Amino acid sequence: MCGIFGYLGKRDNALEIVIKGLQKLEYRGYDSWGVATDLNGELFSHKKVGKISEANLDDFKDKKVKLAIGHTRWATHGGVTNANAHPHFDPEKQIAVVHNGIIENYQEIREELGKENFVSETDTEVIAHLIAKYRKDYSFKEAVLKAVQRLVGRYAIVVLNVGENYLIAARRGSPLIVGVGEDEAFLASDIPAFLEYTQNVNYLDDNEMVIVNDGVEFLNLETGEPIKKRLVNIDWQAESAEKGEYDHFMLKEIMEQKDCIHRAINQDTDEIMHIAQQIKDSRGCFLSGCGTAGKVCMAGEYFFSIIAKRHVNFAPSSEFPVYHHFLRPESLLIVISQSGETADVLEAMEAAKKKGAKVLSIVNVEGSTIARQSDFSLHIKAGPEKAVASTKAATSQMALLLLIATAMIGELQEGRRILAEVASKINDMLNPRFLTYIKSVAEKIKDQENAYIIGKAENYPMALEAAIKIQEVSYVHAEGFAAGELKHGPIALITEGTPCISFVANDEVKQDVINNTMELKARGAYIIGISPDNHDVFDEWIKVPDVGVASPLVNIVPIQILAYYIAVLRGLDPDMPRNLAKSVTVK
Ligand code: F6R
């Protein structure tokens, strides 16, 4: 949430570079945006409510500067206004700060520095005022160090000081990556922001600071001591973070799923076997994640149970710390996260570590905080996921969990074979006819206010996930249920024509789900069946391949497409749903 970007280097169009970089971070927040630079010894800034993708680069062409900072906002403290947009400044307009995170003690600092001196309602403004206060007696570097030592909370900040030809950035709890080019450096919340310029990165860790001038210099935030960092080469191509021929990232990422599953299962055999053994050796194994990643964990619970006959407990990460009573050194926590930066997941990990438990992570962003703070991390290799709604990361994560379950019973090769077949069947399924048919279903239900989804066993989590997909991009009220639960209350919501989606896989619970679907139909529901076989009860039949226990991987794909088309047909932008942001770095 919130994207920050800073540039310093040989090019004299720094403002343009920052704006273009922020446009690639727009998925992190799109309420408002702003930039700042030192223009001939004076602070120049520009802030605007709205999306940074709508910024007009021509407005900045005449400003030849080699250093700039910028921000794209997802509001936490203070409404969506120009005044609350970042960067924030000190009263003398000598210091400019962009920030991603939350400063918990900002009220106290505001009181101390004089509330009347503040022009915004944000927590961030206190950082600029604090730096300015220390700047009276100290160097820029020392002032930043002193200021951040006063902050309680999570932050990634980039700071510029008029008259000083360098940038300083610091992090505690929110992501910050340094892209290192030839005679230039980039400071950003995520890699795609600078991928067209460099693939060489340094990951800033918590309690670290970086000074960017002729080179990059890393320091410990608490002691001010220098730190050596390793330069990492990223194998993402710039195009993989672009929309290409597609209207939206969401559709592009849905279509990429066949390749992603191949990449996800192409893991080092020893690593997979090592993880399988750790799960077997653990006493109390937990799966945890948030939102879609949480539903992936629930599917994992079923995979481990059905395939490996092993009980694993799921808890959403925001709830997981409550489980600390059950944790001990022999426990294992497996966390799942696309971004690798989700604050609730990091908190769950902290709770586990406090009890001496081991933490394994399955993430998409290599080098992310979650990956680096785990005892062991697997990378799903899905490539950059830019749409806010998670699609390809989710199916890749499920593929990996299913693979691990097969490894636990010594059937890793068979697991790979099954999943390769799933990937190839998804490839066949994602043809223009399939998309056109789903679009026609979307046309029929797009004006409905409610939709319900049912599934059982390994497809129960997919009913929950389907609801998230529909809610978040189309704003239709959608709810998922365990198929057998409707008759215990929610069936009262069904009226004539209510769209109900039913996942009917060829498994041992098939007849139960059909029966539950009939109960809905008898109350007037309009039934959309997702199944390898047609059935009289379906009003619409979306045919999916029969892939046995891997059915969640193929079943969720048509719902992703359906959610996408409902959003588009309702005139919404599926890549940037209201109120949301990719990478939720606040609790
Ligand atoms: C929904 C969605 C979110 C994320 C959740 C966790 O489509 O994307 O529910 O799954 O915020 O994010 P990560 O996986 O980055 O930890």
Side-chain angles (χ1 to χ4, degrees), residues 101 105 137 159 176 188 261 270 280 321 333 361 384 393 416 438 459 462 508 563 570:
N105 59 340
D137 301 313
V159 192
L176 192 60
I261 291 176
D270 290 344
K280 284 178 19 185
L333 170 64
S361 62
R416 281 211 170 100
I438 296 178
N459 283 298
M462 291 307 98
E508 58 186 11
R570 286 167 74 109

Side-chain angles (χ1 to χ4, degrees), residues 313-371:
N313 305 278
F314 161 70
S317 298
S318 54
E319 290 290 319
F320 184 81
V322 179
Y323 279 66
H324 71 90
H325 304 288
F326 303 109
L327 296 170
R328 46 190 169 168
E330 306 80 41
S331 311
L332 175 68
L333 170 64
I334 306 175
V335 293
I336 312 259
S337 172
Q338 188 288 127
S339 63
E341 299 294 347
T342 305
D344 288 327
V345 178
L346 284 163
E347 201 176 55
M349 292 168 67
E350 230 171 273
K353 284 184 182 174
K354 260 194 199 144
K355 289 293 183 88
K358 283 223 159 34
V359 179
L360 158 70
S361 62
I362 297 182
V363 299
N364 190 32
V365 180
E366 223 177 345
S368 56
T369 311
I370 291 174

Side-chain angles (χ1 to χ4, degrees), residues 289-294 336-342 345 370 385 387-391 393 397 465 468-469 472 581-584:
C290 301
T292 291
I336 312 259
S337 172
Q338 188 288 127
S339 63
E341 299 294 347
T342 305
V345 178
I370 291 174
E385 192 180 69
V388 163
S390 185
T391 55
Q397 290 156 347
E465 166 57 6
I468 297 188
K469 282 288 97 56
E472 69 181 331
K582 194 93 179 154
S583 187
V584 185

Side-chain angles (χ1 to χ4, degrees), residues 427-444:
N427 186 28
D428 296 345
M429 184 168 76
L430 286 171
N431 62 59
R433 209 155 45 104
F434 187 71
L435 269 74
T436 307
Y437 175 56
I438 296 178
K439 190 172 179 188
S440 74
V441 177
E443 287 273 7
K444 287 182 190 158

